[in-house]
């Protein structure tokens, strides 16, 4: 006989009976009807008991206070004891953890404010949870020479761990050769280096610098002079500026030396700074190849501000009677003249020379054209040299002619000038007028040029001007010694500075970049 049965589902030690589930046939067919009825009866009793228990729990739950902060649903076995909220195994809630972090951060902020550090910019930055760890960081920075003011200038440095960030970076710099005595200035210039990874950030930059022909021994000096280079992207401004310099004619073999002397080039934008500077010098009449040679010799000129310094200084030179056609020679001969605070220097030198000589405003412009370095000659040197010329017997008017004819006499070694003048008087026995006509006599070497040439013309019995004697190369003078007579005096003075001397370039340094490729740097 087939009987109807109840299906039982066991969960948490409760047997729940559902009469609606499909009936199953018992495998053990030999059960008696009385036993079946007894089982069914027991199931019904347990079902009613469970139902009453569930209603009781629901009633108690709805009656409990909604403000209970740690109320948990019942998950224990029937007849078991619910866990106490004060158990040793209980964990703090997320709210409690958050509140604890806020309290600890407030204590750290109070500590920082107490020593003069403003923590306003530290919100959102991961900081030590204890005052002791923060004090360790501050003390470490103090030992490096950084002051509270330095930390306030870049408070994010307090987010760097001493062991994980600061010590590895400083050890790496020390191994490169950066002097410990420069660490303070280094970190003041570029404190962000303490956030860097040695392997990911710093080492690739150093390797790139070496690839630019900067010698390994020069790498520390480059970093000390321009620590910001450690934060640049390798394929960004650095590679672009180097490519442009090579493109205008800077010799490839000179790039390493140029960057060593002025590494700031690596962070200088081509389109905004370098290219406009080069084009402006070209507009003055300086050939591009001469500009490239100037950059090789004095790369720091690229740091002169074009609008705020260079252009105003050029206008000032014209204001002080320097002819526009002479500007290329003035700038090429002494590029620093366009990068200094020029007007006060010109006013001071003009006033001093006017008080010592009969120099006119036009004469002063001529002096600057022939020797733009005059703006940097000290007052004491000018006083001594003018005094020496007067002691030689020259009148005030004659001193003025000498200064205008050869301004270099204001900056020469005065002891050597005295020796040359003594030889001029005792051995050459020439009148002072010869020196007035050719004051550049003082610029020639006594032992290397003046004495041997004088000896040769005396031996040949020739009489000539100082200009004919000195104002030529050794080869040209040998040629003149083959003359039977001197048909004409070669009195014209060659310029003291030759622009062509800047444009001598060997074939192996020619550029691989085309000039019309400048547009990519705009």
């Amino acid at each position: 006989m087939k009987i109807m049965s109840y299906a039982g589902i066991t969960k948490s030690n409760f047997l729940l009976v559902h009469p609606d589930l499909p009936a199953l046939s018992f495998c053990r067919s030999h059960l008696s009807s009385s036993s079946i009825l007894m089982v069914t009866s027991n199931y019904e009793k347990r079902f009613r008991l469970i139902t009453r228990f569930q209603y009781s729990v629901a009633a108690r739950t709805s009656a409990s206070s909604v403000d209970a902060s740690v109320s948990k649903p019942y998950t224990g076995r029937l007849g078991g004891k619910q866990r106490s909220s004060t158990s040793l195994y209980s964990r703090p809630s997320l709210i409690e953890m958050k509140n604890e972090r806020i309290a600890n951060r407030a204590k750290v902020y109070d500590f920082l404010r107490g020593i003069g550090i403003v923590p306003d910019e530290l919100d959102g930055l991961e900081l030590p949870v204890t005052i002791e760890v923060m004090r360790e960081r501050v003390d470490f920075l103090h030992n490096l020479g950084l002051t509270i003011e330095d930390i306030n200038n870049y408070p994010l440095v307090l987010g760097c761990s001493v062991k994980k960030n600061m010590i590895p970076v400083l050890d790496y710099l020390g191994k490169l050769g950066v002097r410990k005595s420069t660490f303070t200035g280094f970190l003041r210039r570029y404190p962000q280096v303490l956030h860097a990874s040695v392997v990911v950030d710093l080492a690739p930059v150093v390797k790139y610098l070496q690839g630019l022909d900067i010698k390994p021994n020069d790498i520390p000096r480059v970093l000390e002079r321009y620590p910001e280079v450690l934060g640049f992207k390798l394929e960004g401004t650095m590679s672009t500026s180097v490519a442009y310099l090579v493109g205008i004619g800077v010799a490839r073999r000179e790039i390493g030396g140029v960057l060593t002397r002025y590494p700031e080039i690596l962070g200088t934008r081509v389109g905004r700074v370098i290219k406009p500077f080069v084009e402006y010098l070209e507009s003055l009449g300086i050939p591009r190849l001469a500009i490239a040679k100037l950059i090789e010799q004095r790369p720091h000129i690229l740091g002169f501000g074009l609008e705020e310094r260079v252009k105003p200084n050029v206008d000032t030179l014209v204001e002080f009677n320097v002819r526009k056609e002479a500007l290329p020679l003035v700038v090429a001969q002494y590029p620093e003249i366009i990068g200094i605070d020029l007007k006060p220097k010109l006013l001071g030198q003009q006033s001093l020379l006017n008080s010592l000589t009969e120099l006119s405003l036009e004469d002063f412009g001529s002096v600057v054209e022939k020797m733009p370095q005059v703006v940097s000659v000290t007052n004491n040197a000018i006083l001594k040299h003018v005094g020496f010329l007067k002691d030689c017997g020259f009148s005030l008017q004659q001193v003025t002619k000498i200064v205008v004819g050869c301004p270099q006499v204001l900056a020469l070694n005065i002891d050597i000038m005295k020796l040359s003048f003594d030889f001029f008087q005792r051995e050459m026995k020439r009148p002072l007028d010869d020196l007035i006509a050719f004051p550049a006599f003082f610029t020639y070497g006594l032992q290397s040029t003046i004495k041997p040439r004088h000896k040769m013309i005396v031996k040949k019995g020739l009489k000539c001007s100082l200009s004919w004697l000195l104002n030529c190369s050794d080869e040209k003078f040998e040629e003149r010694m083959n003359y039977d007579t001197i048909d004409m005096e070669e009195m014209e003075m060659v310029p003291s500075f030759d622009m062509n001397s800047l444009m001598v370039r060997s074939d192996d340094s020619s550029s691989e970049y085309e000039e019309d490729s400048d547009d990519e740097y705009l």
Side-chain angles (χ1 to χ4, degrees):
M1 179 182 70
K2 204 170 190 177
I3 64 174
M4 299 298 294
S5 65
Y6 288 90
I9 300 176
T10 303
K11 185 177 181 182
S12 302
N13 287 345
F14 294 114
L15 180 63
L16 305 181
V17 181
H18 297 273
D20 296 334
L21 293 177
L24 298 176
S25 298
F26 288 102
C27 295
R28 300 183 65 180
S29 57
H30 61 274
L31 291 174
S32 63
S33 60
S34 61
S35 63
I36 293 173
L37 292 176
M38 182 178 64
V39 169
T40 304
S41 176
N42 289 336
Y43 282 173
E44 290 176 345
K45 289 179 181 179
R46 296 183 68 177
F47 176 75
R48 287 194 297 270
L49 177 63
I50 293 168
T51 302
R52 285 197 300 272
F53 177 78
Q54 289 176 335
Y55 283 141
S56 175
V57 170
R60 286 198 303 270
T61 301
S62 62
S64 62
S65 173
V66 296
D67 296 329
S69 60
V70 293
S71 175
K72 295 181 181 179
Y74 176 78
T75 57
R77 296 173 180 267
L78 183 64
K81 294 182 179 180
Q82 190 175 358
R83 288 179 180 175
S84 171
S85 60
T86 61
S87 170
L88 294 176
Y89 299 99
S90 64
R91 297 179 180 178
S93 67
L94 293 177
I95 295 178
E96 289 174 334
M97 294 171 64
K98 181 178 179 181
N99 291 337
E100 184 178 0
R101 287 197 300 269
I102 292 175
N104 289 335
R105 196 177 190 92
K107 293 178 181 178
V108 171
Y109 275 19
D110 288 340
F111 163 72
L112 293 176
R113 291 189 184 97
I115 61 176
I117 296 175
V118 181
D120 296 348
E121 297 182 31
L122 301 179
D123 293 342
L125 185 69
E126 184 177 352
L127 293 177
V129 296
T130 65
I131 294 176
E132 289 72 20
V133 177
M134 179 57 75
R135 181 182 288 110
E136 178 190 11
R137 294 187 184 182
V138 174
D139 290 344
F140 189 84
L141 294 172
H142 281 333
N143 291 334
L144 292 173
L146 299 183
T147 64
I148 295 297
E149 182 181 359
D150 296 327
I151 297 175
N152 277 327
N153 289 335
Y154 187 72
L156 299 182
V157 73
L158 295 174
C160 296
S161 167
V162 172
K163 295 181 179 179
K164 295 180 180 179
N165 301 107
M166 300 186 192
I167 291 178
V169 167
L170 296 176
D171 282 348
Y172 177 71
L173 294 176
K175 290 177 181 178
L176 288 176
V178 177
R179 294 166 295 178
K180 290 185 178 180
S181 60
T182 67
F183 278 178
T184 302
F186 193 106
L187 295 176
R188 282 175 179 162
R189 285 276 302 273
Y190 188 58
Q192 295 90 337
V193 71
L194 295 177
H195 294 286
S197 162
V198 171
V199 175
V200 177
D201 302 316
L202 305 185
V205 173
V206 171
K207 184 177 180 180
Y208 181 81
L209 295 177
Q210 292 174 337
L212 294 175
D213 294 332
I214 298 177
K215 298 177 181 179
N217 291 338
D218 291 330
I219 292 292
R221 306 292 86 81
V222 169
L223 297 181
E224 289 175 4
R225 179 185 175 100
Y226 193 52
E228 293 90 340
V229 72
L230 290 172
F232 294 150
K233 295 181 179 179
L234 303 185
E235 301 304 323
T237 303
M238 289 200 293
S239 59
T240 305
S241 57
V242 170
Y244 181 82
L245 292 180
V246 174
I248 66 172
V250 173
R252 291 190 299 272
R253 65 174 180 270
E254 299 292 338
I255 286 294
V258 167
L259 297 178
T260 299
R261 296 194 301 276
Y262 191 68
E264 288 86 347
I265 289 174
L266 294 170
T268 303
R269 301 294 296 271
V270 171
R272 296 180 182 177
V273 180
I274 302 178
K275 189 171 183 286
F277 179 84
V278 170
E279 290 177 347
Y280 179 73
L281 294 188
E282 281 188 295
S283 72
L284 295 179
I286 304 175
R288 176 168 285 203
L289 193 55
I291 298 172
K293 191 68 178 291
L294 287 175
I295 293 173
E296 289 178 11
Q297 297 172 349
R298 298 178 177 88
H300 62 274
I301 65 176
L302 292 174
F304 296 162
L306 181 60
E307 298 297 332
E308 60 272 18
R309 184 68 77 185
V310 176
K311 290 182 178 180
N313 279 357
V314 170
D315 293 339
T316 298
L317 289 171
V318 175
E319 180 184 342
F320 279 79
N321 297 294
V322 174
R323 296 168 300 154
K324 290 185 178 180
E325 56 270 25
L327 288 174
L329 283 176
V330 170
V331 175
Q333 185 179 173
Y334 187 54
E336 284 78 5
I337 201 169
I338 59 174
I340 60 178
D341 190 7
L342 183 59
K343 194 164 188 176
K345 289 184 175 292
L346 288 173
L347 285 171
Q349 301 298 65
Q350 184 184 60
S351 176
L352 178 61
L353 288 172
N354 283 342
S355 67
L356 299 175
T357 67
E358 297 178 347
L359 209 66
S360 66
L361 297 179
E362 291 74 16
D363 288 338
F364 182 73
S366 178
V367 167
V368 175
E369 289 178 12
K370 293 176 181 177
M371 193 185 78
Q373 295 89 340
V374 72
V375 299
S376 299
V377 178
T378 65
N379 292 353
N380 188 48
I382 293 176
L383 289 169
K384 285 185 177 180
H385 287 79
V386 171
F388 164 73
L389 292 175
K390 291 179 178 178
D391 292 341
C392 290
F394 296 107
S395 66
L396 188 61
Q397 185 178 12
Q398 290 172 331
V399 170
T400 302
K401 288 183 179 180
I402 291 174
V403 170
V404 174
C406 183
Q408 287 78 9
V409 298
L410 297 174
L412 297 173
N413 186 306
I414 201 163
D415 292 329
I416 295 177
M417 290 179 68
K418 290 178 180 178
L419 293 175
S420 297
F421 184 73
D422 289 342
F423 183 81
F424 175 84
Q425 282 191 313
R426 292 195 322 268
E427 301 294 333
M428 302 180 77
K429 298 179 180 179
R430 288 174 175 264
L432 292 179
D433 287 343
D434 286 3
L435 287 177
I436 298 171
F438 190 70
F441 167 84
F442 289 107
T443 66
Y444 291 88
L446 179 60
Q447 301 297 333
S448 62
T449 305
I450 298 175
K451 282 186 176 182
R453 290 190 183 186
H454 173 70
K455 184 177 180 179
M456 292 177 70
I457 64 169
V458 169
K459 185 176 180 180
K460 287 189 65 87
L462 296 175
K463 289 186 177 181
C464 63
S465 67
L466 289 177
S467 176
W468 191 92
L469 176 69
L470 300 173
N471 190 15
C472 63
S473 65
D474 290 339
E475 293 77 11
K476 180 64 175 177
F477 184 75
E478 290 289 344
E479 182 182 336
R480 288 178 178 180
M481 288 298 95
N482 293 326
Y483 297 167
D484 292 330
T485 59
I486 300 176
D487 294 331
M488 69 176 185
E489 297 282 359
E490 299 177 27
M491 296 293 294
E492 292 186 4
M493 292 181 60
V494 295
S496 59
F497 179 82
D498 184 6
M499 182 76 73
N500 292 326
S501 66
L502 287 176
M503 295 185 288
V504 178
R505 176 72 73 219
S506 58
D507 294 337
D508 63 346
S509 63
S510 59
S511 170
E512 294 179 350
Y513 298 85
E514 298 295 332
E515 289 189 5
D516 58 2
S517 66
D518 291 350
D519 292 340
E520 68 180 281
Y521 303 112
L522 290 175

